[in-house]
Amino acid sequence: MHIAEGFLPPLHAVAWGAASAPFVLHGVRALTREVKANPESTLLLGAAGAFTFVLSALKIPSVTGSCSHPTGTGLGAILFRPPVMAVLGTITLLFQALLLAHGGLTTLGANVFSMAVAGPWAGYAVYRLLRGTRAPLMVAVFFGAFFADLVTYCVTSVQLALAFPDQATGFTGSLVKFGEIFALTQIPLAVSEGLLTVLVVRLLMQSSKSDLIRLGVAKLTSGKANQEATVR
Amino acid sequence: MSRNAKINTLLLLLVAALAVLPLALGLGEGKEEPFTGADAQAETAIAELKPDYEPWFSPLYEPPSGDIESALFALQAALGAGVLAYYFGIRKGRRQGAAAAGAPGAVAPDASAQS
C-alpha cells in the first residue's frame, strides 16, 4: 500500500497530508495522555508498535501471483483505540520512507491516511460492532485485524484511482485496476494478519491479563481473573 | 503440549500454509515476473494509465542495491521482533518472580501495586 515517492500529483499529496495531519496530532495527544495516566502501558504500547514494525516488513506471497505485506495496525487499534495507531503507524511509515525508499515523504500523508488512520478506525469499528453482539473476543479480534488490513489497501486503491483515472472508463475503471492489484492480493494476507493478531492477543491473555482488563479488552470472568479481582 | 500451546501452534501453521501455498501451487506461473510486490505493480499501472506521468520527487536516500534493501527490511523486522520478545520476556519474568515470592495465587506485581 506504499504509494512510491513522487507518485501522487502535488495537489493530491498536499490534500492527503492535510487530511492526515489532524489525526496524527490528535494521536500524539492521546498517546501522551495514555502514557501519563498509565505509565505501565508504555511497554505494551511499545509491543503494539513493534507488531506493526514486524508485519509491515514481511512481504508475503498471495494467490494473485504477486506479493504484499500486512499492516499490523489492528492489534494496537483494538488495545489502545485508533488515535494511538495514527502515531505508531506514522513512525513505521517514516522509517520505511527514509531508510528503505519504500513509500515516500511526498506520499506520506496518503500512506498515513490509509495505513494509520482508515485501517485502524475500520478495524476498531468492526471489533466494537462484533463485541456489541457478544461475539467471542477472539472472533472480534480476528475480524478487527482482518478489516484493518484490507481497508488500508482499499483506501490506497481509491487514492490512486482518484489521482490516475482511466482515460476511457474514468475513476471506476481505474479503481477496478488498482483494486485487483491491491485489494484482491490482500485478502489472504488479511486472513494471516487476523490469525497472527489472535495469536498475540492469546499470548497477552496469558501474560498480561490485568492490562487487558484495564484496557477493557478482557473481562473478569474466569476463575483466575476473579482471583486478580479480589486482590484489587 | 498443553491445549493452549496446541492452538497457538495451529495458528502459526495456518499462517505459514497461507504464505507457502501460493508458491507451492505455482500461482505466479505465466507472469512476466512472478511474485513481484503489489506496490511495484501499482507503479506499472500508473505508467499505463498516464504514460507521460513523471514522479516529481525522488527518495532522499535509496538503498544502493536490492541486497541492502533486503537487509534493511530484515533490520526492521528484527527490531520489531526484538521489542516483542523483550515485552513477553519481561512479563514472563514478572509472573515467575511473583510465583517464586510464594504469594498464593500469585499475581503480577503491577496488579497488586494498584490495589
Short mmCIF file of all heavy atoms in Angstrom, two decimals, chain A residues 1-2 4-6 8-9 40 44 47 50 53-54 56 61-62 64-67 96 99-100 102 166 177 181-182 192 202 206 208 211 231-232, chain B residues 4 7-8 18-19 22 27 31 35-39 41-43 48-49 53 55-57 60-61 72 76 80-81 84 87 91 95 114-115:
data_model
loop_
_atom_site.label_atom_id
_atom_site.label_comp_id
_atom_site.label_asym_id
_atom_site.label_seq_id
_atom_site.Cartn_x
_atom_site.Cartn_y
_atom_site.Cartn_z
N MET A 1 0.81 -1.20 0.00
CA MET A 1 0.00 0.00 0.00
C MET A 1 0.85 1.25 0.00
O MET A 1 0.32 2.33 0.07
CB MET A 1 -0.94 0.04 1.21
CG MET A 1 -0.38 -0.39 2.52
SD MET A 1 0.95 0.53 3.29
CE MET A 1 0.27 2.16 3.48
N HIS A 2 2.17 1.07 -0.07
CA HIS A 2 3.04 2.25 -0.07
C HIS A 2 3.02 2.88 -1.45
O HIS A 2 3.55 2.31 -2.39
CB HIS A 2 4.47 1.87 0.26
CG HIS A 2 4.64 1.36 1.66
ND1 HIS A 2 4.25 0.11 2.04
CD2 HIS A 2 5.18 1.93 2.75
CE1 HIS A 2 4.53 -0.05 3.32
NE2 HIS A 2 5.09 1.03 3.78
N ALA A 4 4.61 5.09 -3.97
CA ALA A 4 6.03 5.42 -4.04
C ALA A 4 6.25 6.94 -4.08
O ALA A 4 5.35 7.71 -4.44
CB ALA A 4 6.65 4.77 -5.27
N GLU A 5 7.45 7.33 -3.69
CA GLU A 5 7.83 8.75 -3.65
C GLU A 5 7.56 9.44 -4.98
O GLU A 5 7.95 8.93 -6.04
CB GLU A 5 9.32 8.86 -3.31
CG GLU A 5 9.82 10.26 -3.08
CD GLU A 5 9.38 10.85 -1.75
OE1 GLU A 5 8.20 11.24 -1.64
OE2 GLU A 5 10.21 10.91 -0.82
N GLY A 6 6.87 10.57 -4.93
CA GLY A 6 6.62 11.36 -6.13
C GLY A 6 5.51 10.82 -7.02
O GLY A 6 5.24 11.39 -8.07
N LEU A 8 2.28 10.65 -6.44
CA LEU A 8 0.98 11.33 -6.36
C LEU A 8 1.19 12.76 -6.83
O LEU A 8 2.16 13.41 -6.42
CB LEU A 8 0.44 11.34 -4.93
CG LEU A 8 -0.35 10.15 -4.42
CD1 LEU A 8 -0.88 10.44 -3.02
CD2 LEU A 8 -1.50 9.77 -5.34
N PRO A 9 0.31 13.28 -7.69
CA PRO A 9 0.44 14.67 -8.12
C PRO A 9 0.44 15.60 -6.89
O PRO A 9 -0.21 15.30 -5.90
CB PRO A 9 -0.83 14.90 -8.96
CG PRO A 9 -1.31 13.54 -9.33
CD PRO A 9 -0.85 12.61 -8.26
N GLU A 40 2.35 2.19 33.15
CA GLU A 40 2.60 0.76 32.92
C GLU A 40 2.15 0.33 31.52
O GLU A 40 2.41 -0.78 31.09
CB GLU A 40 1.91 -0.09 34.00
CG GLU A 40 0.39 -0.12 33.95
CD GLU A 40 -0.25 1.03 34.72
OE1 GLU A 40 0.43 2.07 34.90
OE2 GLU A 40 -1.41 0.90 35.12
N LEU A 44 3.50 -2.09 26.77
CA LEU A 44 2.55 -2.71 25.84
C LEU A 44 2.39 -1.84 24.58
O LEU A 44 2.23 -2.37 23.47
CB LEU A 44 1.20 -2.92 26.53
CG LEU A 44 0.14 -3.72 25.76
CD1 LEU A 44 0.68 -5.07 25.33
CD2 LEU A 44 -1.12 -3.91 26.59
N ALA A 47 5.11 -2.73 22.43
CA ALA A 47 4.87 -4.03 21.80
C ALA A 47 3.90 -3.88 20.62
O ALA A 47 4.10 -4.50 19.56
CB ALA A 47 4.31 -5.02 22.82
N ALA A 50 5.81 -2.43 17.84
CA ALA A 50 6.74 -3.44 17.33
C ALA A 50 6.02 -4.42 16.41
O ALA A 50 6.57 -4.85 15.39
CB ALA A 50 7.39 -4.18 18.50
N PHE A 53 5.78 -2.90 13.15
CA PHE A 53 7.10 -2.92 12.54
C PHE A 53 7.38 -4.26 11.87
O PHE A 53 7.81 -4.32 10.73
CB PHE A 53 8.16 -2.65 13.62
CG PHE A 53 8.93 -1.38 13.39
CD1 PHE A 53 8.28 -0.17 13.42
CD2 PHE A 53 10.30 -1.40 13.14
CE1 PHE A 53 8.97 1.01 13.20
CE2 PHE A 53 11.00 -0.24 12.92
CZ PHE A 53 10.34 0.97 12.95
N VAL A 54 7.12 -5.33 12.60
CA VAL A 54 7.40 -6.67 12.05
C VAL A 54 6.51 -6.94 10.84
O VAL A 54 6.99 -7.27 9.75
CB VAL A 54 7.14 -7.77 13.10
CG1 VAL A 54 7.40 -9.14 12.50
CG2 VAL A 54 8.02 -7.57 14.31
N SER A 56 4.71 -5.07 8.84
CA SER A 56 4.80 -4.28 7.61
C SER A 56 6.14 -4.47 6.91
O SER A 56 6.36 -3.94 5.83
CB SER A 56 4.54 -2.80 7.89
OG SER A 56 5.53 -2.29 8.72
N PRO A 61 3.81 -13.91 -0.22
CA PRO A 61 3.17 -14.23 -1.49
C PRO A 61 1.66 -14.39 -1.34
O PRO A 61 1.18 -14.80 -0.28
CB PRO A 61 3.80 -15.57 -1.89
CG PRO A 61 4.81 -15.89 -0.88
CD PRO A 61 4.71 -14.96 0.25
N SER A 62 0.93 -14.07 -2.39
CA SER A 62 -0.53 -14.19 -2.33
C SER A 62 -1.06 -14.96 -3.54
O SER A 62 -0.33 -15.22 -4.49
CB SER A 62 -1.16 -12.80 -2.27
OG SER A 62 -2.56 -12.89 -2.35
N THR A 64 -2.77 -14.14 -5.95
CA THR A 64 -2.78 -13.43 -7.24
C THR A 64 -1.44 -13.56 -7.97
O THR A 64 -1.27 -13.00 -9.05
CB THR A 64 -3.08 -11.94 -7.04
OG1 THR A 64 -2.25 -11.47 -5.97
CG2 THR A 64 -4.53 -11.72 -6.69
N GLY A 65 -0.47 -14.26 -7.36
CA GLY A 65 0.83 -14.39 -8.01
C GLY A 65 1.70 -13.18 -7.80
O GLY A 65 2.73 -13.03 -8.47
N SER A 66 1.30 -12.29 -6.91
CA SER A 66 2.17 -11.17 -6.53
C SER A 66 2.36 -11.25 -5.03
O SER A 66 1.90 -12.19 -4.39
CB SER A 66 1.54 -9.84 -6.94
OG SER A 66 0.26 -9.72 -6.40
N CYS A 67 3.06 -10.30 -4.45
CA CYS A 67 3.21 -10.34 -3.01
C CYS A 67 2.98 -8.96 -2.41
O CYS A 67 3.07 -7.94 -3.08
CB CYS A 67 4.55 -10.92 -2.58
SG CYS A 67 5.95 -9.86 -2.86
N GLN A 96 10.26 3.58 6.93
CA GLN A 96 10.36 2.96 5.61
C GLN A 96 10.64 3.98 4.51
O GLN A 96 11.36 3.70 3.56
CB GLN A 96 9.08 2.17 5.31
CG GLN A 96 8.93 0.98 6.25
CD GLN A 96 7.70 0.16 5.93
OE1 GLN A 96 6.63 0.69 5.65
NE2 GLN A 96 7.84 -1.15 5.98
N LEU A 99 14.55 5.21 5.21
CA LEU A 99 15.66 4.26 5.14
C LEU A 99 15.52 3.27 3.99
O LEU A 99 16.51 2.78 3.45
CB LEU A 99 15.76 3.47 6.45
CG LEU A 99 16.46 4.18 7.59
CD1 LEU A 99 16.52 3.28 8.81
CD2 LEU A 99 17.86 4.60 7.18
N LEU A 100 14.29 2.93 3.61
CA LEU A 100 14.10 1.85 2.65
C LEU A 100 13.67 2.35 1.27
O LEU A 100 13.50 1.56 0.36
CB LEU A 100 13.04 0.87 3.16
CG LEU A 100 13.33 0.24 4.52
CD1 LEU A 100 12.13 -0.50 5.05
CD2 LEU A 100 14.50 -0.72 4.40
N HIS A 102 10.88 3.11 0.60
CA HIS A 102 9.62 2.40 0.44
C HIS A 102 8.54 3.37 0.89
O HIS A 102 8.52 3.78 2.05
CB HIS A 102 9.65 1.14 1.30
CG HIS A 102 8.66 0.11 0.90
ND1 HIS A 102 8.62 -0.42 -0.37
CD2 HIS A 102 7.65 -0.48 1.57
CE1 HIS A 102 7.65 -1.31 -0.44
NE2 HIS A 102 7.04 -1.35 0.71
N ASP A 166 -8.81 6.35 -15.36
CA ASP A 166 -8.60 5.75 -16.67
C ASP A 166 -9.12 6.71 -17.77
O ASP A 166 -10.14 7.36 -17.60
CB ASP A 166 -9.38 4.42 -16.74
CG ASP A 166 -9.00 3.60 -17.95
OD1 ASP A 166 -9.45 3.93 -19.05
OD2 ASP A 166 -8.24 2.63 -17.76
N LYS A 177 -8.86 -1.54 -11.59
CA LYS A 177 -7.49 -1.92 -11.89
C LYS A 177 -6.63 -1.95 -10.62
O LYS A 177 -5.95 -2.94 -10.34
CB LYS A 177 -6.92 -0.89 -12.88
CG LYS A 177 -5.65 -1.34 -13.56
CD LYS A 177 -5.24 -0.30 -14.61
CE LYS A 177 -3.98 -0.72 -15.31
NZ LYS A 177 -4.15 -1.00 -16.72
N ILE A 181 -4.97 -5.10 -8.12
CA ILE A 181 -3.56 -5.17 -7.70
C ILE A 181 -3.46 -5.27 -6.18
O ILE A 181 -2.73 -6.10 -5.64
CB ILE A 181 -2.79 -3.93 -8.20
CG1 ILE A 181 -2.68 -3.96 -9.72
CG2 ILE A 181 -1.41 -3.85 -7.56
CD1 ILE A 181 -2.06 -2.71 -10.32
N PHE A 182 -4.22 -4.40 -5.49
CA PHE A 182 -4.04 -4.29 -4.03
C PHE A 182 -5.02 -5.13 -3.23
O PHE A 182 -4.62 -6.00 -2.46
CB PHE A 182 -4.17 -2.83 -3.59
CG PHE A 182 -2.96 -2.01 -3.90
CD1 PHE A 182 -3.05 -0.91 -4.74
CD2 PHE A 182 -1.72 -2.32 -3.35
CE1 PHE A 182 -1.93 -0.14 -5.02
CE2 PHE A 182 -0.61 -1.56 -3.63
CZ PHE A 182 -0.71 -0.46 -4.47
N SER A 192 -4.15 -13.91 7.25
CA SER A 192 -2.93 -14.18 8.03
C SER A 192 -2.80 -13.17 9.17
O SER A 192 -2.49 -13.54 10.30
CB SER A 192 -1.69 -14.08 7.15
OG SER A 192 -1.70 -15.10 6.19
N ARG A 202 -3.99 -13.88 22.36
CA ARG A 202 -3.99 -15.08 23.22
C ARG A 202 -2.79 -15.07 24.15
O ARG A 202 -2.91 -15.37 25.34
CB ARG A 202 -3.97 -16.35 22.36
CG ARG A 202 -5.31 -16.67 21.68
CD ARG A 202 -5.17 -17.87 20.77
NE ARG A 202 -4.59 -19.01 21.48
CZ ARG A 202 -5.28 -19.84 22.24
NH1 ARG A 202 -6.58 -19.68 22.38
NH2 ARG A 202 -4.70 -20.84 22.86
N GLN A 206 -2.51 -14.64 28.46
CA GLN A 206 -1.75 -15.45 29.41
C GLN A 206 -0.79 -14.59 30.22
O GLN A 206 -0.61 -14.80 31.42
CB GLN A 206 -0.94 -16.53 28.68
CG GLN A 206 -1.80 -17.63 28.08
CD GLN A 206 -1.04 -18.43 27.03
OE1 GLN A 206 0.17 -18.57 27.09
NE2 GLN A 206 -1.76 -18.96 26.07
N SER A 208 -0.49 -10.94 30.34
CA SER A 208 -0.79 -9.59 30.80
C SER A 208 -2.28 -9.38 30.96
O SER A 208 -2.82 -8.37 30.52
CB SER A 208 -0.26 -8.54 29.82
OG SER A 208 0.84 -9.03 29.10
N ASP A 211 -3.54 -6.03 32.31
CA ASP A 211 -3.50 -4.92 31.35
C ASP A 211 -4.72 -4.96 30.44
O ASP A 211 -5.35 -3.94 30.16
CB ASP A 211 -2.24 -4.99 30.48
CG ASP A 211 -1.02 -4.43 31.22
OD1 ASP A 211 -1.23 -3.68 32.20
OD2 ASP A 211 0.11 -4.75 30.81
N VAL A 231 -7.75 -9.34 44.65
CA VAL A 231 -6.53 -8.65 45.07
C VAL A 231 -6.69 -7.15 44.89
O VAL A 231 -6.22 -6.37 45.69
CB VAL A 231 -5.32 -9.18 44.27
CG1 VAL A 231 -4.08 -8.35 44.57
CG2 VAL A 231 -5.07 -10.63 44.62
N ARG A 232 -7.37 -6.80 43.78
CA ARG A 232 -7.56 -5.38 43.53
C ARG A 232 -8.51 -4.81 44.54
O ARG A 232 -8.76 -3.66 44.63
CB ARG A 232 -8.13 -5.17 42.12
CG ARG A 232 -7.05 -5.41 41.10
CD ARG A 232 -7.64 -5.44 39.72
NE ARG A 232 -6.58 -5.08 38.79
CZ ARG A 232 -6.70 -4.17 37.83
NH1 ARG A 232 -7.81 -3.50 37.68
NH2 ARG A 232 -5.70 -3.91 37.04
N ASN B 4 -3.49 -24.90 25.10
CA ASN B 4 -3.14 -23.54 24.66
C ASN B 4 -2.03 -23.54 23.63
O ASN B 4 -2.12 -22.89 22.60
CB ASN B 4 -2.66 -22.75 25.89
CG ASN B 4 -3.65 -21.65 26.22
OD1 ASN B 4 -4.34 -21.15 25.34
ND2 ASN B 4 -3.71 -21.30 27.47
N ILE B 7 -3.18 -24.83 20.22
CA ILE B 7 -3.93 -23.84 19.43
C ILE B 7 -2.97 -22.80 18.84
O ILE B 7 -3.08 -22.43 17.67
CB ILE B 7 -5.02 -23.16 20.30
CG1 ILE B 7 -6.06 -24.19 20.72
CG2 ILE B 7 -5.67 -22.01 19.54
CD1 ILE B 7 -7.11 -23.67 21.66
N ASN B 8 -2.01 -22.35 19.65
CA ASN B 8 -1.05 -21.35 19.16
C ASN B 8 -0.22 -21.89 18.00
O ASN B 8 0.03 -21.19 17.02
CB ASN B 8 -0.13 -20.89 20.30
CG ASN B 8 -0.90 -20.08 21.34
OD1 ASN B 8 -2.02 -19.66 21.09
ND2 ASN B 8 -0.29 -19.87 22.49
N LEU B 18 -0.75 -20.40 4.49
CA LEU B 18 -1.28 -19.34 3.63
C LEU B 18 -0.17 -18.67 2.82
O LEU B 18 -0.38 -18.23 1.69
CB LEU B 18 -2.00 -18.27 4.48
CG LEU B 18 -3.46 -18.56 4.79
CD1 LEU B 18 -3.97 -17.58 5.84
CD2 LEU B 18 -4.31 -18.46 3.54
N ALA B 19 1.03 -18.60 3.41
CA ALA B 19 2.15 -17.95 2.71
C ALA B 19 2.78 -18.90 1.69
O ALA B 19 3.21 -18.47 0.62
CB ALA B 19 3.19 -17.49 3.73
N PRO B 22 0.53 -20.32 -2.17
CA PRO B 22 0.62 -19.67 -3.49
C PRO B 22 1.89 -20.05 -4.24
O PRO B 22 1.89 -20.20 -5.46
CB PRO B 22 0.61 -18.18 -3.16
CG PRO B 22 -0.05 -18.09 -1.83
CD PRO B 22 0.34 -19.33 -1.09
N LEU B 27 1.16 -20.31 -8.38
CA LEU B 27 0.19 -19.32 -8.83
C LEU B 27 0.84 -18.13 -9.55
O LEU B 27 0.16 -17.32 -10.15
CB LEU B 27 -0.64 -18.81 -7.64
CG LEU B 27 -1.52 -19.90 -7.02
CD1 LEU B 27 -2.19 -19.40 -5.75
CD2 LEU B 27 -2.59 -20.36 -8.00
N LYS B 31 3.32 -15.43 -15.38
CA LYS B 31 3.53 -13.99 -15.24
C LYS B 31 4.94 -13.65 -15.68
O LYS B 31 5.85 -14.46 -15.54
CB LYS B 31 3.33 -13.57 -13.78
CG LYS B 31 1.93 -13.83 -13.28
CD LYS B 31 1.55 -12.78 -12.26
CE LYS B 31 0.05 -12.85 -12.01
NZ LYS B 31 -0.44 -11.66 -11.35
N PHE B 35 5.38 -13.08 -8.50
CA PHE B 35 5.51 -12.62 -7.12
C PHE B 35 6.29 -11.31 -6.96
O PHE B 35 7.13 -11.17 -6.09
CB PHE B 35 6.09 -13.73 -6.22
CG PHE B 35 5.18 -14.92 -6.15
CD1 PHE B 35 5.51 -16.11 -6.79
CD2 PHE B 35 3.95 -14.83 -5.50
CE1 PHE B 35 4.64 -17.19 -6.75
CE2 PHE B 35 3.09 -15.92 -5.46
CZ PHE B 35 3.43 -17.10 -6.08
N THR B 36 6.02 -10.37 -7.87
CA THR B 36 6.53 -9.02 -7.63
C THR B 36 5.64 -8.37 -6.59
O THR B 36 4.53 -8.81 -6.33
CB THR B 36 6.46 -8.16 -8.90
OG1 THR B 36 5.16 -8.32 -9.47
CG2 THR B 36 7.51 -8.53 -9.90
N GLY B 37 6.15 -7.28 -6.00
CA GLY B 37 5.37 -6.58 -4.99
C GLY B 37 4.21 -5.83 -5.61
O GLY B 37 4.31 -5.31 -6.73
N ALA B 38 3.09 -5.77 -4.87
CA ALA B 38 1.92 -5.04 -5.36
C ALA B 38 2.25 -3.55 -5.55
O ALA B 38 1.73 -2.91 -6.46
CB ALA B 38 0.75 -5.20 -4.37
N ASP B 39 3.14 -3.03 -4.69
CA ASP B 39 3.50 -1.61 -4.81
C ASP B 39 4.16 -1.33 -6.15
O ASP B 39 3.89 -0.32 -6.80
CB ASP B 39 4.45 -1.21 -3.67
CG ASP B 39 3.76 -1.24 -2.32
OD1 ASP B 39 2.52 -1.19 -2.29
OD2 ASP B 39 4.47 -1.33 -1.29
N GLN B 41 3.76 -3.14 -8.88
CA GLN B 41 2.72 -3.32 -9.90
C GLN B 41 1.89 -2.05 -10.06
O GLN B 41 1.48 -1.70 -11.16
CB GLN B 41 1.81 -4.48 -9.52
CG GLN B 41 2.46 -5.83 -9.70
CD GLN B 41 1.47 -6.96 -9.48
OE1 GLN B 41 0.47 -6.79 -8.80
NE2 GLN B 41 1.76 -8.11 -10.04
N ALA B 42 1.65 -1.37 -8.93
CA ALA B 42 0.87 -0.13 -8.99
C ALA B 42 1.62 0.92 -9.81
O ALA B 42 1.03 1.66 -10.59
CB ALA B 42 0.59 0.38 -7.58
N GLU B 43 2.95 0.96 -9.64
CA GLU B 43 3.75 1.91 -10.42
C GLU B 43 3.62 1.61 -11.91
O GLU B 43 3.50 2.53 -12.73
CB GLU B 43 5.22 1.85 -9.99
CG GLU B 43 5.47 2.49 -8.63
CD GLU B 43 6.91 2.33 -8.14
OE1 GLU B 43 7.83 2.37 -8.98
OE2 GLU B 43 7.10 2.15 -6.93
N GLU B 48 0.86 2.86 -17.26
CA GLU B 48 -0.08 2.52 -18.34
C GLU B 48 -1.21 3.54 -18.43
O GLU B 48 -1.63 3.93 -19.52
CB GLU B 48 -0.68 1.13 -18.09
CG GLU B 48 0.26 -0.02 -18.43
CD GLU B 48 -0.24 -1.35 -17.87
OE1 GLU B 48 -1.46 -1.46 -17.58
OE2 GLU B 48 0.58 -2.26 -17.71
N LEU B 49 -1.70 3.95 -17.24
CA LEU B 49 -2.85 4.87 -17.22
C LEU B 49 -2.46 6.26 -17.69
O LEU B 49 -3.23 6.95 -18.34
CB LEU B 49 -3.43 4.94 -15.80
CG LEU B 49 -4.22 3.72 -15.34
CD1 LEU B 49 -4.41 3.74 -13.83
CD2 LEU B 49 -5.57 3.66 -16.03
N TYR B 53 3.28 10.57 -17.10
CA TYR B 53 3.48 10.99 -15.70
C TYR B 53 4.93 10.76 -15.27
O TYR B 53 5.48 9.69 -15.45
CB TYR B 53 2.55 10.24 -14.76
CG TYR B 53 2.65 10.75 -13.33
CD1 TYR B 53 1.97 11.89 -12.94
CD2 TYR B 53 3.47 10.13 -12.40
CE1 TYR B 53 2.08 12.39 -11.65
CE2 TYR B 53 3.59 10.62 -11.11
CZ TYR B 53 2.89 11.75 -10.74
OH TYR B 53 3.01 12.25 -9.47
N PRO B 55 7.38 11.01 -11.90
CA PRO B 55 7.46 11.28 -10.46
C PRO B 55 8.21 12.59 -10.23
O PRO B 55 9.26 12.81 -10.84
CB PRO B 55 8.26 10.09 -9.91
CG PRO B 55 8.14 9.03 -10.95
CD PRO B 55 7.98 9.72 -12.25
N TRP B 56 7.64 13.47 -9.40
CA TRP B 56 8.21 14.81 -9.27
C TRP B 56 9.11 14.95 -8.06
O TRP B 56 9.60 16.02 -7.73
CB TRP B 56 7.08 15.85 -9.23
CG TRP B 56 6.07 15.57 -8.15
CD1 TRP B 56 5.08 14.64 -8.19
CD2 TRP B 56 5.97 16.19 -6.88
NE1 TRP B 56 4.36 14.63 -7.03
CE2 TRP B 56 4.88 15.58 -6.20
CE3 TRP B 56 6.67 17.20 -6.23
CZ2 TRP B 56 4.50 15.95 -4.92
CZ3 TRP B 56 6.28 17.57 -4.95
CH2 TRP B 56 5.21 16.95 -4.31
N PHE B 57 9.34 13.85 -7.39
CA PHE B 57 10.22 13.89 -6.22
C PHE B 57 10.86 12.52 -6.10
O PHE B 57 10.21 11.51 -6.40
CB PHE B 57 9.40 14.19 -4.96
CG PHE B 57 10.22 14.71 -3.81
CD1 PHE B 57 10.59 16.05 -3.73
CD2 PHE B 57 10.61 13.85 -2.78
CE1 PHE B 57 11.33 16.52 -2.67
CE2 PHE B 57 11.37 14.32 -1.71
CZ PHE B 57 11.73 15.66 -1.65
N LEU B 60 15.08 10.65 -0.73
CA LEU B 60 16.31 11.30 -0.27
C LEU B 60 17.45 10.29 -0.20
O LEU B 60 18.58 10.57 -0.53
CB LEU B 60 16.09 11.90 1.12
CG LEU B 60 14.97 12.95 1.21
CD1 LEU B 60 14.77 13.39 2.66
CD2 LEU B 60 15.29 14.15 0.33
N TYR B 61 17.11 9.09 0.26
CA TYR B 61 18.12 8.03 0.34
C TYR B 61 17.53 6.78 -0.29
O TYR B 61 16.38 6.42 -0.03
CB TYR B 61 18.49 7.74 1.78
CG TYR B 61 19.31 6.47 1.94
CD1 TYR B 61 20.67 6.46 1.63
CD2 TYR B 61 18.72 5.28 2.36
CE1 TYR B 61 21.41 5.30 1.73
CE2 TYR B 61 19.46 4.11 2.47
CZ TYR B 61 20.80 4.12 2.15
OH TYR B 61 21.53 2.97 2.25
N LEU B 72 17.85 -4.03 5.12
CA LEU B 72 17.14 -3.02 5.90
C LEU B 72 15.74 -3.50 6.28
O LEU B 72 15.26 -3.21 7.38
CB LEU B 72 17.08 -1.70 5.13
CG LEU B 72 18.42 -0.96 5.06
CD1 LEU B 72 18.37 0.16 4.03
CD2 LEU B 72 18.80 -0.40 6.42
N GLN B 76 14.30 -4.01 10.03
CA GLN B 76 13.01 -3.54 10.53
C GLN B 76 12.26 -4.65 11.26
O GLN B 76 11.76 -4.47 12.37
CB GLN B 76 12.16 -3.01 9.37
CG GLN B 76 10.88 -2.35 9.84
CD GLN B 76 9.90 -2.09 8.71
OE1 GLN B 76 10.28 -1.87 7.58
NE2 GLN B 76 8.62 -2.09 9.05
N GLY B 80 11.42 -5.02 15.42
CA GLY B 80 10.07 -5.28 15.93
C GLY B 80 10.02 -6.56 16.73
O GLY B 80 9.48 -6.61 17.84
N ALA B 81 10.61 -7.63 16.18
CA ALA B 81 10.58 -8.92 16.86
C ALA B 81 11.33 -8.84 18.18
O ALA B 81 10.90 -9.42 19.19
CB ALA B 81 11.18 -10.00 15.97
N LEU B 84 9.11 -7.14 20.77
CA LEU B 84 8.04 -8.06 21.18
C LEU B 84 8.57 -9.13 22.13
O LEU B 84 7.95 -9.42 23.15
CB LEU B 84 7.42 -8.73 19.94
CG LEU B 84 6.33 -7.95 19.20
CD1 LEU B 84 5.93 -8.69 17.93
CD2 LEU B 84 5.11 -7.76 20.08
N TYR B 87 9.18 -7.67 25.50
CA TYR B 87 7.92 -7.49 26.23
C TYR B 87 7.47 -8.80 26.87
O TYR B 87 7.23 -8.86 28.08
CB TYR B 87 6.82 -6.96 25.30
CG TYR B 87 5.49 -6.88 26.00
CD1 TYR B 87 5.18 -5.79 26.81
CD2 TYR B 87 4.56 -7.91 25.89
CE1 TYR B 87 3.98 -5.72 27.49
CE2 TYR B 87 3.35 -7.85 26.56
CZ TYR B 87 3.07 -6.76 27.36
OH TYR B 87 1.88 -6.71 28.03
N ARG B 91 7.27 -9.90 30.91
CA ARG B 91 6.02 -10.31 31.56
C ARG B 91 6.16 -11.70 32.18
O ARG B 91 5.69 -11.95 33.28
CB ARG B 91 4.86 -10.33 30.55
CG ARG B 91 4.54 -9.00 29.91
CD ARG B 91 4.35 -7.89 30.90
NE ARG B 91 3.35 -8.16 31.91
CZ ARG B 91 2.56 -7.24 32.44
NH1 ARG B 91 2.62 -5.99 32.02
NH2 ARG B 91 1.69 -7.56 33.36
N ARG B 95 5.87 -12.72 36.20
CA ARG B 95 4.95 -13.72 36.73
C ARG B 95 5.70 -14.77 37.53
O ARG B 95 5.28 -15.18 38.59
CB ARG B 95 4.17 -14.38 35.58
CG ARG B 95 2.83 -13.72 35.32
CD ARG B 95 2.10 -14.49 34.24
NE ARG B 95 2.94 -14.62 33.05
CZ ARG B 95 2.88 -15.62 32.20
NH1 ARG B 95 2.02 -16.58 32.37
NH2 ARG B 95 3.67 -15.65 31.15
N GLN B 114 -1.40 -1.74 42.25
CA GLN B 114 -2.51 -0.81 42.03
C GLN B 114 -3.56 -0.89 43.13
O GLN B 114 -4.35 0.02 43.29
CB GLN B 114 -3.20 -1.13 40.71
CG GLN B 114 -2.40 -0.64 39.52
CD GLN B 114 -2.95 -1.21 38.24
OE1 GLN B 114 -4.09 -1.64 38.20
NE2 GLN B 114 -2.15 -1.21 37.20
N SER B 115 -3.59 -2.01 43.85
CA SER B 115 -4.69 -2.21 44.80
C SER B 115 -4.56 -1.32 46.00
O SER B 115 -3.49 -0.83 46.31
CB SER B 115 -4.75 -3.67 45.22
OG SER B 115 -3.52 -4.02 45.82
#
